[in-house]
Amino acid sequence: MKLTDQEKSMLQGEQGRAKARAMDLLVRYGEALGAERLVETNNVAGAFNASTPSVRELAKKGFDAVYSELNLDSPEIVEVPHMVANTCQLITGIDNERWRIQGISEDLADQQKQAEAYFGRRGINMFATCTPYQVGNVPVKGEHCAWMESSAVVYCNSVLGARTNTEGKESTGAAALTGRIPYWGYHVTENRRGTHLVEVELDVDDIMDWGLLGYYLGEIVDDEIPVLTGRCHQPSLIKLKHFGAAAASSGGVEMYHIPEVTPEARSIEEAFGGNAIKDTLQYGAAERRIAYENLNCATDRNVDFVMLGCPHNSIDQVSLIASLLEGRKISLNTQLWVHTPRALREVADRNGYTSIIGEAGGVVMSDTCPAISRHMPRGTKVVATDSAKQAHYLPAITGVSAWFGSVRDCIEAALTGRWNGGLA
Ligand code: F3S
């Protein structure tokens, strides 16, 4: 791999042991990928937390040891300096305030808070959400980033037109300290062109339908790049957030184009950029039903737990949930958790949404989600959610069964304790 003088200086340890370890990792990683060089980045979104029981022993040696091992793959414990790149924390396993409701132990919650304080002082911004683009981290078109978290990556590439691969804990840890990431994959213009044309033959408008479309397409195209045409109504941040998260769950979609909507596709021709179309897919009522049935694995209509906010809810989603719950009470047999970034929970508090949801018997949570934390209300067997991603992962990870539907279906399930959703 070709390195600049500045990069060689970091690798040789002239700028400290942490940067030497970080550069060593990036060179090994880049060479394994066949990258010929690194690219500068000033936007890193990674996981720098110590919120799992498995990190307990390591954390006893201090948070330099945690970063060295988990974020730099370094056998040597290095002192962690201030980050070079703008860096933010993605989602964690623990809500710093509601950890008791999650069923997290106090010592683990303390460990996370101490880690946050340590890494925060070193320049890692504690957004603690899988949707950094909802709380101020909005890279511009063409900006090279180093992001983890599949739903954020597909949003970054497709909707924002910024450039990132799906990075890991180690590569983001190294990128944050060096301002570099291997130049390959989605950093390269030629790799961002469409591969599959998707003709949408029925109206896709609400959030649930965008989730179903994404879930269906992910299974078919896997990690290739679909280009959507047809009856996709003007999407919004929320709809594209759900679409991308679903496509990145059932498959490995990291980028898509919607001509006249996403920034690298003013037309179908531009979306393909001269690529031959590998396949043309139709999405109609039969495909929509397949996606719906694949997501709804539950048979028991008694719902123990309703999870809303995967990816983390925007403030208007929290507002809608509050309006649907106002003056009502959720079933004694059901629990409701509403997940939103911590910065937006502050807004929800000030707007009174948190109180309305709380008075109805629900909880507004931040910093985490059940799929990441592996924590749900005790005894949960059946979950209902408006997220294709959460409906995909929770059964696989925790063994619960899932219902997937609209936010209204889910609120109805929370109020009655029964699932009555279905395809219109
Ligand atoms: Fe975010 Fe957790 Fe869903 S990380 S995208 S809320 S599975």
Side-chain angles (χ1 to χ4, degrees), residues 349-369:
D349 291 349
R350 295 176 76 171
N351 278 34
Y353 304 148
T354 311
S355 301
I356 293 169
I357 293 168
E359 282 158 17
V363 179
V364 178
M365 281 209 186
S366 295
D367 311 334
T368 189
C369 78

Side-chain angles (χ1 to χ4, degrees), residues 235-280:
S236 60
L237 180 156
I238 303 168
K239 293 170 186 176
L240 294 181
K241 181 177 69 170
H242 275 260
F243 170 74
S249 303
S250 57
V253 174
E254 293 172 84
M255 179 146 195
Y256 59 85
H257 298 285
I258 308 176
E260 298 182 32
V261 173
T262 56
E264 293 176 45
R266 278 167 296 182
S267 63
I268 294 179
E269 292 69 35
E270 188 179 43
F272 283 97
N275 264 5
I277 298 175
K278 282 189 185 174
D279 203 357
T280 299

Side-chain angles (χ1 to χ4, degrees), residues 91 130 149 151 309-311 369 371-372 389-390:
I91 198 159
C130 49
E149 169 43 41
S151 71
C310 167
C369 78
I372 291 291
K389 178 169 181 177
Q390 202 76 196

Side-chain angles (χ1 to χ4, degrees), residues 93-149:
I94 299 173
D95 181 319
N96 275 6
E97 291 173 25
R98 315 269 205 262
W99 50 270
R100 276 199 180 83
I101 297 172
Q102 283 184 279
I104 303 272
S105 66
E106 186 163 8
D107 67 319
L108 200 55
D110 281 347
Q111 180 178 292
Q112 163 149 308
K113 287 178 199 163
Q114 287 165 21
E116 270 200 12
Y118 192 85
F119 295 136
R121 278 198 305 275
R122 283 153 185 79
I124 297 171
N125 298 314
M126 291 298 158
F127 289 174
T129 175
C130 49
T131 59
Y133 51 87
Q134 292 195 122
V135 290
N137 185 352
V138 188
V140 297
K141 184 180 176 188
E143 186 173 349
H144 292 282
C145 302
W147 283 22
M148 289 174 65
E149 169 43 41

Side-chain angles (χ1 to χ4, degrees), residues 125-182:
N125 298 314
M126 291 298 158
F127 289 174
T129 175
C130 49
T131 59
Y133 51 87
Q134 292 195 122
V135 290
N137 185 352
V138 188
V140 297
K141 184 180 176 188
E143 186 173 349
H144 292 282
C145 302
W147 283 22
M148 289 174 65
E149 169 43 41
S150 62
S151 71
V153 165
V154 67
Y155 194 93
C156 182
N157 279 320
S158 313
V159 184
L160 303 178
R163 300 183 172 210
T164 184
N165 295 303
T166 304
E167 298 296 345
K169 266 186 143 177
E170 298 85 351
S171 57
T172 49
L177 290 179
T178 59
R180 302 289 193 283
I181 197 74

Side-chain angles (χ1 to χ4, degrees), residues 353-403:
Y353 304 148
T354 311
S355 301
I356 293 169
I357 293 168
E359 282 158 17
V363 179
V364 178
M365 281 209 186
S366 295
D367 311 334
T368 189
C369 78
I372 291 291
S373 70
R374 315 280 164 103
H375 282 270
M376 286 181 287
R378 191 184 291 272
T380 296
K381 291 192 178 64
V382 180
V383 61
T385 178
D386 65 342
S387 163
K389 178 169 181 177
Q390 202 76 196
H392 176 85
Y393 281 115
L394 278 183
I397 294 171
T398 67
V400 299
S401 53
W403 292 109

